[in-house]
Structures are given as structure tokens and as C-alpha cells.
Amino acid sequence: MIKPIQSLKIAACSIALLYGFGSTLPAGASADTLDSGASVNRPLTLWYDKPAENWNQALPVGNGRLGAMIYGGAGREILQLNEDTIWAGEPNNNVNPDVAPYIDKVNDALFKSEFTDAQRLADKHLHSKTNNGMPYQTVGSLLLEFPGHEDFHDYRRELDIGNALASVSYRVEDVRYSREVFSSLADPIVVVRLTADRPGQINLDLSFDSPQQHRVEIDGKRLLVRGRGGDHEGLEGKIRYSTIVRPELEGGNLKAKEGALSIRSADAVTLFIATATNFNNYRDISGDDRKRAEEQVASVVGKSYPELKRAHTDFYHKQFQRVALDLGSTPNSALPTDVRVKRFSRDGDPALAALYFQFGRYLLISSSQPGTQPANLQGIWNPHVNPPWESKYTVNINTEMNYWPAEVTNLSELHQPLFSMLKDLSVTGRESASKIYGARGWMMHHNTDVWRITGQVDPAFYGQWQGGGAWLSQHIWQHYLYTGDRAFLQEYYPVLRDAALFFADSLQREPETGWLVVAPSNSPENAYRTIEDDIRVSVSAGTTMDNQLVYDLFSAVINAAEILEVDTEFAEALSHKRDQLPPMQIGRLGQLQEWLWDWDDPEDHHRHVSHLYGVYPSNQISPYRTPELFSAAKTSLEYRGDISTGWSMGWKVNLWARFLNGNRAYKLLEDQLTLVEDTGKEITEQGGTYANLFDAHPPFQIDGNFGVTTGIAEMLMQSHDGAIHLLPALPDAWPQGNVRGLVARGGFVVDMTWNEGAVESLTVTSRLGGNCRLRLPSSLMPSGEADLQPVARGSANPNFFFSVPERGKPRISPDADIGQLPLPQVSEFEFTTRPGETYQFGFSGGEAKSGGSL
């Protein structure tokens, strides 16, 4: 083991920070209830001094399957409820075989440069005849009425993401009332605990409301809701659900009246809320929702509230506490969260950036657990029956973005719901591959839902994109690169292989260049021309993103086949086809071309930056390996601008981190942490953050939260370019701090502290063993034992998990003026590790600022 020259320095943590990462409750709080009115500043807490006035101020809890949004009203509390399998419609696949004859016709027009005709043909013929996917839908809302609580004071509402607990506290006259809510990760229910600091003071009426077709019954001393998912686009709603609300009283009495429950003079009340559906899987809805809900409630009967709470927080801590981040604090840390967001760009608030980072991890834990559905466009939180974009799975960026934090922020098992969906799609996607494109394997377009549809969704301008399977499948390979789990790779290899098989069969020969291209497709949601009758033209061939995706997919299958010692001939065929994909191209403006042809407009500020997939999340473009492409990609991002939708700005945080520009990444973080008021107006292209820290497209999309969480991780550590790069894009705003638990490729877990912008101490835990290579500013020298060796930058890392792609030289326009970007001077060191061992380092040297501007 390498021993440190100096002792590992860990920045001092406040008691509040230790509470957030370690114990369950702060000093002075009982195990039974959290006194939310206490004047305690907890850095892992969102808090507010008034109830929520709308849904984007309410606070989310979830256990992957059950979600609740808590408004925190004093006289009237609303708990808006979700269950992850309540969707409209019924089992179906929206594949339209009548599309098939027109695929070749659209391609003929494209290859004759008749682009407008190609779009007209696509608009008329390339769409689903059945439906555009089903919307994710709400259960409804549990309403808690507290008579006489309209006049309240000393109010506090909070979400403690250190413990996954929401709470409300206030006084009415001289009585303090407290509520605590969690969606249990250990039990299949939502739990609400109501207490007062004097006996006999709990009086409330329980009722239920929903925009769904439903009925409310009084079942003994319980509320029973029987509902169903909605009809949509000609499909009958066949999801059935049952919600049971079971109050457990300590003292007092309960009576039923007119579809509601009335509780009077109780000392305390615990509500158990269960919801179950008839959904078994995407093609089987024969389950008994009532029986399941009864079993869920029965599973917690007899358990005390402290017992339920402790089981929940213990489960949560095992995931959440793997990563800690301290960026420092300012006086703004003591302000309500909405005020902090409003002041972020003016005052700076490093603790809010750390809170936002951890909030993204909280949301992933709360919306994606093994055995649940994957996090959708809104995670699991949605109050509508017809939400924006139907809250489906948009796979031309958004679903993938939801899972960007899974590996690097140490939540690898939360990837499982996505992998499970990929297995389903690899079945349903055979229908779209064969019936539309005449190809083997499987594919999907830009959208799917709980029924795992794979046909075109929306008009051809958006829907005729073929890359959904190619992009989603990358997550299988990335999971392997971080975990080295050979059994996992073997299990999911057929999904990966057959995604590649589709493209091996369906790639088209572009007649002018002879390149193999994906056609007809698009560069997601962007147009390259608009003609006089306002037809926007998106349908194209060989877009840069498609070329990059297919390159990565083929490479993953080639490598996986070698590891698993299978499919040698197929891997060789893929390698031959990979060599015939278009190279990346640098256009006349010195930009990375978005399309096969040099059509980029410097005034195009479109939210999608699809052609920069090769920078992030891929690693095809590197500052040191491909400097010309690196410069061209940066030019493209400059043209796009900063301000955009919330999720787009989240993506750009990652991109600027990959461009090694910490200050520009931080500027995008400032843009994202701009308070957006919920006005109920139409969708806009200028995003930000709502008061409850939800990402605003607007309206709400959860991918922006996940994108920024990953972006902050990328600012602190990167491992895609052959080495573990420490502080590659540290902004001036975070001169000192510490992070614990980030995960690099090859299963290396990184803890480090930094001061004055330079790494001060480092601990690396090796899960898999193997060579560990560090990249750091040349002015820093690590201290370790003899096997810590300097290596020449650019030399291949012998650790397979750090392999980098070898793309051919780009095709460069003769009109391009490619600037030479100054790059940080870095050095690389490596050492051999053994599985399960931990290695510590100190650093010495001069100024080693990593943020800067390129």
C-alpha cells in the first residue's frame, strides 16, 4: 500500500454537516418527530418560511415507486400522490408498417439533395397511425383539513435530504404542531406523522380528490380510493389502482362522514398511505390492485412510527451517504431556499451549489430504485392526467440525462430500472426494426412510455430519429466501465449486440462520399432550413450525432464480444462498418458540423447541442488527443450561447467542464440557479430553477437537476480521457473544499480536499484493482511510495477501463480558421492497486489553479 508522506487532511465539517452525512437527527430532536421550527441551519435542508402556493413550491418525497408532493399548508395540507405505473392507455406498440415503403423514398430524396421534398414526404408518411405514446398520470391528492389553523405563526417547512424526510412546523396560539412525511424506502407506503406539543390537540378531516375517474369509499376506519388510468388517443385506460389511507390514532376518536374521515382530540396520528395497480409488466395488466394495496398496508401494521422511520432512513443513508461535498458557506446559507436561489448569481453561495448537487442525488434515489420504473421526464412527480410532453421517456437526451449521475455519484444500482426497460425495448423494438426498416435487431425512435412503444412519436420533424436504442444502450457499457461487472455485461450483452445489429443492417451508403450513414434521421429537434411555406426541414442523413452514437455502439459491442469471447465474426463485421462511418467534420466557420453538410448557422441558439455528444457524455473529442476537434466543438458551443431551457443549461455545465473551463461551467450553473416563478404561462426557451429546486424547462423537467449534479462532479473529477483528472474545471468561486465518494472508471473511489485551487490531499479506494493513473497540474507533485511512477502524457493506460477511442482525422473545410486553444499543463502519474485497498497521497508544489478560461 502507498503510504502518505503527510497525513490526509480533511476539511473541518460543522456539526450540521456531520448531521447531514451521518446521524439521523440533530441534537435535541426526538426520534418520534423532528421539530422543524428549531433555528438550526442544516446544509442538506431545503426550507421555507411559508406554505407552498403552487406545485412548483411543494416538496417531493419518493421511494422509486410512490411519490408525494407536500404543500405544507397549515389549515389545509395537500399531498399530491403518484405511483410509477399509473399511465393512460393499455398494452400496445405504435409501430406503423405502412411507413416502410416511404423510408427508401425519403432517402432517395435526401441523396439527390432534394431536402425539402424529403421533409414533405416524411411529414406525410413517417408517423404512427395509432398513437404518440401514453401520458404518465397522477393518483390524485389526499387532503388534510385542520379546523382553526388558518391563523398560524412561527412557521417552517423543510425537506431534509440528508434523511429523506419532509416536515412542517408552526404554532396556533400556544400549541406547536408538527408533521413529518416520508415515502418509505424500506416499506411500500407513504407515512405521515402528525403531532402536537400538548395532548388532545390533533383535529383533522381526511378526504381525497383526483382528476382521474375514481370513487372514494369509507372502508371501516380507512379511506379506499378505486381509480383507473385515462383513455388517450383512442386507447382505453386499463390501469386500475387502489389507494388506501389508514389512520392510526393515539388517543382521540375517528368518525366517517360523507366520503371523509374526521379525527378529533388525538394526541398523535400516523397515516399509512398505500397505492397499488394491476400492472405486472408492459404486456400484462392482470394484477389485483386491491389485494396488493391491502398487503402493503398489512405489512406495516404493528410497526411503530420510530421503527418505520428508522428503517427508511437507514436504507436511505446506505445510498445517499456514499458521497459528501463541502464547498464552503456564506451568510446566505441561513436564508430560506427560494431566497438563496434568487440571490445566487448576485451573492455567490457555494453551499447552495453543494445542496443542488446533493438534491439531484436525492431525486435519483427517490425516483429510481431496483424493481421500479425508470425515472421519467418528471421523475415520479406529476399532478396532471395530461402533463407537459406527457411526462414520457424522451430518449434523444432527456432519459439518458436522468441517469448521468448514477455511476459517477456512487448510485450505480439505481441504473437497474433503465436496464430493465432496455430489455423490454429490445423485444418491442424488433417490431419497429423489421416492419419499418426491414432490419434485424431492435431499434426505437425518440420516445417511449410504460408500454415500451418503439414507433415514431410526434410529427416526423421530431419523430424520425433512429438513435434511441443506440444512445440508451451506451448506459450498459458505461455501467460496465465503472463496475467491471462481467456477469452484468454477459446478461445485457444481447441487448447491446442487437442494438448494433439493427444499424449493421440498416446503414445506408451515401452516394457522394461512400460513407455509411443513418438515414432518414435528424439532429434531434433542430432544423437546418426553413422554406417559404414555413416547412422546417430536419430530416437528414448522416448527422454528426448519429455517426458518433453508432461509432460508440459498435465499439462497445466489439469490446464486449472480446471480453466475453463471443461473436468474433460479428465483431469483425462491425469493425469494418465502423471504419466506413463518416469522420467528424470541421466546417467553414471553424465549427464542428452538426450535419453531414456544412449548414451550421452561427445565429442558431437551439437548445439541443446534439453534435457535441462526442464531447459529453462520450469521449470521442479530447483536448489532448484531438485538439482540432476540441477547438471546433468549443466554437460550436460558443455559437449556441448560454441561456436556454433548464435541461440544456445542465448539459452545458458538463460540456464546459469537459472544455476544462471551470468559470464558464460555473456561469452556466448561475444561469441554471436563476429563480423561475410559476406563472402558469406557456413553455419558454429560458429555463432556471423553481423555488423547490426543481429544474424549470420551463415547465418542470427533472433532467436539468440530474444534468447539473453530474456537471458539478465533472468540474471536480473526470475519468473519460485515459486518466483520473483531478479538479479539471474548478471555478474561482470554489477555492477550497472537499469531496468524498466520487467514482471513476475502473471502480476507483476518489476523496480529496483542495485549498487555494490546488489538490491538497487525496484518497483513492480501488474496488477492482489494476493500474490507477492520475492527471493533475504540472505544478503539483504527489507524494507516495516507489511504485508511483510518472508517465508520458498520451501513452496508453494499460487499464482497459480507461481505453480511449481512436477516431480518424477530421475532415476540415478549407475555409475553416481553427484557433489554437491554450491548454492547462498537466502531468500524469500511475501506480498499481489491489482490490479493496485504499491509497493516500499528499501534494506539494506551487499554484495549481485548474479552473481558468481556455
Side-chain angles (χ1 to χ4, degrees):
M1 179 185 295
I2 295 175
K3 299 176 181 178
I5 284 295
Q6 59 189 55
S7 61
L8 181 65
K9 297 181 181 178
I10 302 296
C13 294
S14 66
I15 292 176
L17 189 60
L18 289 172
Y19 153 61
F21 297 144
S23 61
T24 302
L25 294 172
S30 70
D32 186 62
T33 184
L34 183 65
D35 185 357
S36 298
S39 180
V40 178
N41 174 35
R42 293 186 289 270
L44 289 178
T45 298
L46 290 68
W47 77 273
Y48 307 84
D49 56 10
K50 56 183 179 295
E53 297 176 356
N54 56 62
W55 193 86
N56 288 311
Q57 294 176 357
L59 296 173
V61 296
N63 66 3
R65 185 180 67 86
L66 296 174
M69 293 293 288
I70 303 148
Y71 284 66
R76 186 175 196 252
E77 172 66 284
I78 301 172
L79 270 68
Q80 184 268 311
L81 303 174
N82 285 102
E83 200 275 351
D84 69 347
T85 62
I86 297 178
W87 294 65
E90 59 186 302
N92 78 98
N93 197 356
N94 68 336
V95 172
N96 177 11
D98 295 341
V99 162
Y102 296 97
I103 294 295
D104 287 342
K105 293 180 181 181
V106 172
N107 282 338
D108 287 344
L110 289 173
F111 294 145
K112 292 177 182 177
S113 299
E114 296 170 354
F115 304 112
T116 303
D117 290 342
Q119 187 70 49
R120 284 196 176 102
L121 275 169
D123 289 344
K124 186 174 182 179
H125 298 289
L126 302 189
H127 56 80
S128 169
K129 282 186 175 179
T130 57
N131 68 85
N132 291 296
M134 297 294 106
Y136 175 58
Q137 299 187 315
T138 183
V139 173
S141 294
L142 179 65
L143 308 176
L144 289 72
E145 305 281 353
F146 298 91
H149 286 208
E150 294 77 18
D151 185 12
F152 60 93
H153 60 97
D154 196 15
Y155 179 93
R156 183 179 175 106
R157 173 173 63 101
E158 66 177 41
L159 176 63
D160 171 10
I161 66 169
N163 293 290
L165 300 169
S167 59
V168 178
S169 178
Y170 57 89
R171 289 188 180 276
V172 175
E173 295 180 346
D174 59 347
V175 179
R176 175 168 290 284
Y177 295 89
S178 297
R179 286 174 223 151
E180 196 164 70
V181 185
F182 60 91
S183 183
S184 177
L185 286 158
D187 294 288
I189 55 168
V190 174
V191 182
V192 181
R193 176 71 168 171
L194 309 169
T195 59
D197 64 359
R198 288 175 53 188
Q201 298 298 311
I202 304 297
N203 301 299
L204 76 148
D205 299 315
L206 291 169
S207 61
F208 185 88
D209 189 26
S210 176
Q212 300 276 34
Q213 293 186 40
H214 74 287
R215 69 179 187 271
V216 181
E217 305 171 10
I218 302 300
D219 180 40
K221 296 182 177 182
R222 312 181 309 175
L223 283 181
L224 171 62
V225 181
R226 306 299 302 276
R228 77 175 185 91
D231 305 337
H232 191 73
E233 291 189 4
L235 292 180
E236 181 183 349
K238 292 189 177 179
I239 289 292
R240 300 292 184 267
Y241 67 87
S242 294
T243 295
I244 296 173
V245 182
R246 182 184 186 275
E248 186 173 281
L249 278 62
E250 297 173 26
N253 58 80
L254 181 151
K255 294 181 180 180
K257 60 174 187 178
E258 299 178 0
L261 297 177
S262 179
I263 296 171
R264 293 295 182 268
S265 302
D267 299 333
V269 176
T270 304
L271 305 178
F272 303 133
I273 307 167
T275 298
T277 77
N278 61 336
F279 182 93
N280 292 332
N281 57 56
Y282 69 95
R283 53 191 170 189
D284 179 0
I285 50 173
S286 63
D288 187 332
D289 55 291
R290 171 72 182 271
K291 180 181 178 182
R292 288 172 173 173
E294 295 284 3
E295 289 172 347
Q296 290 170 9
V297 171
S299 72
V300 298
V301 171
K303 295 181 180 180
S304 69
Y305 178 73
E307 182 182 359
L308 291 166
K309 178 178 172 181
R310 175 63 66 183
H312 164 68
T313 55
D314 284 351
F315 187 109
Y316 178 72
H317 289 163
K318 289 176 183 177
Q319 294 178 345
F320 183 80
Q321 290 182 354
R322 294 172 191 164
V323 173
L325 175 63
D326 180 5
L327 298 173
S329 64
T330 70
N332 280 16
S333 297
L335 297 173
T337 303
D338 52 339
V339 177
R340 294 175 69 183
V341 175
K342 197 168 188 176
R343 297 184 180 184
F344 182 76
S345 61
R346 186 191 74 184
D347 297 345
D349 186 346
L352 181 60
L355 177 66
Y356 196 84
F357 167 85
Q358 292 284 31
F359 184 61
R361 298 182 68 247
Y362 166 81
L363 292 177
L364 188 57
I365 293 169
S366 302
S367 63
S368 182
Q369 286 287 328
T372 71
Q373 295 298 307
N376 62 48
L377 204 59
Q378 294 181 210
I380 53 171
W381 299 280
N382 161 45
H384 305 293
V385 294
N386 191 21
W389 306 286
E390 298 179 328
S391 196
K392 300 196 298 286
Y393 299 101
T394 305
V395 301
N396 62 14
I397 172 65
N398 313 98
T399 303
E400 292 86 353
M401 200 172 192
N402 285 1
Y403 286 89
W404 287 351
E407 303 299 335
V408 69
T409 74
N410 221 331
L411 296 171
S412 186
E413 71 270 38
L414 305 190
H415 237 144
Q416 187 276 332
L418 184 68
F419 301 142
S420 180
M421 182 169 76
L422 273 164
K423 276 190 176 179
D424 296 344
L425 291 167
S426 72
V427 176
T428 60
R430 293 182 184 280
E431 187 177 0
S432 50
S434 61
K435 292 184 177 179
I436 297 177
Y437 300 97
R440 296 170 295 169
W442 72 275
M443 68 83 61
M444 64 183 301
H445 296 86
H446 93 292
N447 225 288
T448 192
D449 59 16
V450 77
W451 310 116
R452 308 312 192 230
I453 62 169
T454 59
Q456 289 95 339
V457 167
D458 300 329
F461 181 90
Y462 303 98
Q464 188 48 50
W465 182 67
Q466 297 186 39
W471 198 349
L472 278 181
S473 296
Q474 306 295 336
H475 285 256
I476 295 171
W477 183 242
Q478 289 299 316
H479 180 75
Y480 175 71
L481 292 179
Y482 279 85
T483 65
D485 187 340
R486 193 177 189 278
F488 165 85
L489 185 63
Q490 188 158 18
E491 179 183 355
Y492 284 91
Y493 173 74
V495 178
L496 198 63
R497 176 199 61 213
D498 287 357
L501 179 60
F502 166 75
F503 289 102
D505 280 3
S506 64
L507 288 171
Q508 303 290 307
R509 183 78 61 185
E510 199 282 317
E512 181 180 340
T513 62
W515 295 329
L516 291 178
V517 298
V518 180
S521 191
N522 62 51
S523 189
E525 305 189 24
N526 201 8
Y528 55 88
R529 63 179 61 185
T530 301
I531 60 174
E532 292 180 0
D533 53 356
D534 291 330
I535 292 180
R536 299 175 68 218
V537 181
S538 69
V539 173
S540 186
T543 64
T544 295
M545 180 190 222
D546 282 349
N547 304 334
Q548 294 169 341
L549 284 172
V550 174
Y551 183 94
D552 272 353
L553 177 60
F554 283 5
S555 298
V557 174
I558 292 166
N559 287 322
E562 182 178 358
I563 292 164
L564 299 173
E565 299 179 328
V566 296
D567 289 339
T568 302
E569 291 183 3
F570 181 56
E572 290 176 353
L574 286 185
S575 181
H576 180 64
K577 288 181 180 290
R578 184 180 62 178
D579 291 342
Q580 299 175 71
L581 295 171
M584 281 184 272
Q585 301 182 80
I586 298 174
R588 69 196 187 284
L589 304 171
Q591 89 286 6
L592 180 67
Q593 287 182 201
E594 184 166 2
W595 290 275
L596 194 64
W597 296 278
D598 194 356
W599 289 330
D600 296 77
D601 178 358
E603 299 303 317
D604 179 8
H605 304 303
H606 196 267
R607 61 193 176 278
H608 282 261
V609 285
S610 303
H611 51 313
L612 302 186
Y613 161 89
V615 178
Y616 186 90
S618 184
N619 63 342
Q620 296 177 31
I621 297 174
S622 158
Y624 300 105
R625 291 183 288 109
T626 62
E628 292 172 322
L629 285 171
F630 184 76
S631 176
K634 180 174 178 288
T635 296
S636 290
L637 188 56
E638 293 275 12
Y639 282 142
R640 274 295 203 267
D642 292 345
I643 301 298
S644 188
T645 56
W647 66 263
S648 178
M649 292 190 292
W651 191 358
K652 290 171 184 175
V653 174
N654 289 273
L655 288 168
W656 282 114
R658 286 283 174 96
F659 286 125
L660 309 180
N661 192 328
N663 289 334
R664 189 68 174 268
Y666 182 82
K667 193 267 183 186
L668 264 298
L669 176 62
E670 286 184 324
D671 293 339
Q672 175 63 4
L673 278 171
T674 298
L675 186 65
V676 174
E677 303 287 352
D678 184 351
T679 62
K681 293 183 178 179
E682 295 180 355
I683 295 167
T684 74
E685 291 282 312
Q686 183 167 338
T689 296
Y690 289 115
N692 61 2
L693 293 192
F694 272 169
D695 163 65
H697 180 291
F700 166 52
Q701 282 189 196
I702 202 168
D703 39 24
N705 290 101
F706 295 136
V708 172
T709 290
T710 314
I712 291 173
E714 287 286 319
M715 294 163 77
L716 302 177
M717 184 204 71
Q718 298 174 15
S719 65
H720 65 287
D721 197 28
I724 300 174
H725 194 166
L726 304 177
L727 301 183
L730 186 72
D732 294 336
W734 303 337
Q736 60 271 329
N738 68 78
V739 66
R740 171 175 56 81
L742 295 181
V743 181
R745 289 185 179 204
F748 294 106
V749 183
V750 172
D751 307 342
M752 67 178 159
T753 66
W754 65 93
N755 189 34
E756 296 182 358
V759 181
E760 194 170 52
S761 60
L762 172 72
T763 299
V764 176
T765 300
S766 177
R767 291 174 172 170
L768 305 176
N771 188 69
C772 181
R773 181 174 293 185
L774 304 176
R775 178 178 297 166
L776 57 149
S778 296
S779 56
L780 284 184
M781 294 295 294
S783 304
E785 288 188 341
D787 65 344
L788 185 68
Q789 298 292 327
V791 292
R793 187 172 52 78
S795 62
N797 189 334
N799 188 328
F800 169 79
F801 297 111
F802 289 84
S803 301
V804 293
E806 297 181 3
R807 293 299 309 256
K809 290 188 176 182
R811 190 179 189 183
I812 303 175
S813 167
D815 298 325
D817 181 11
I818 305 173
Q820 184 67 35
L821 293 178
L823 297 176
Q825 295 300 307
V826 294
S827 298
E828 294 183 359
F829 301 83
E830 64 185 21
F831 58 102
T832 301
T833 71
R834 295 184 296 274
E837 296 287 348
T838 296
Y839 305 85
Q840 297 180 348
F841 304 94
F843 294 85
S844 60
E847 184 178 355
K849 193 71 177 72
S850 300
S853 298
L854 292 178

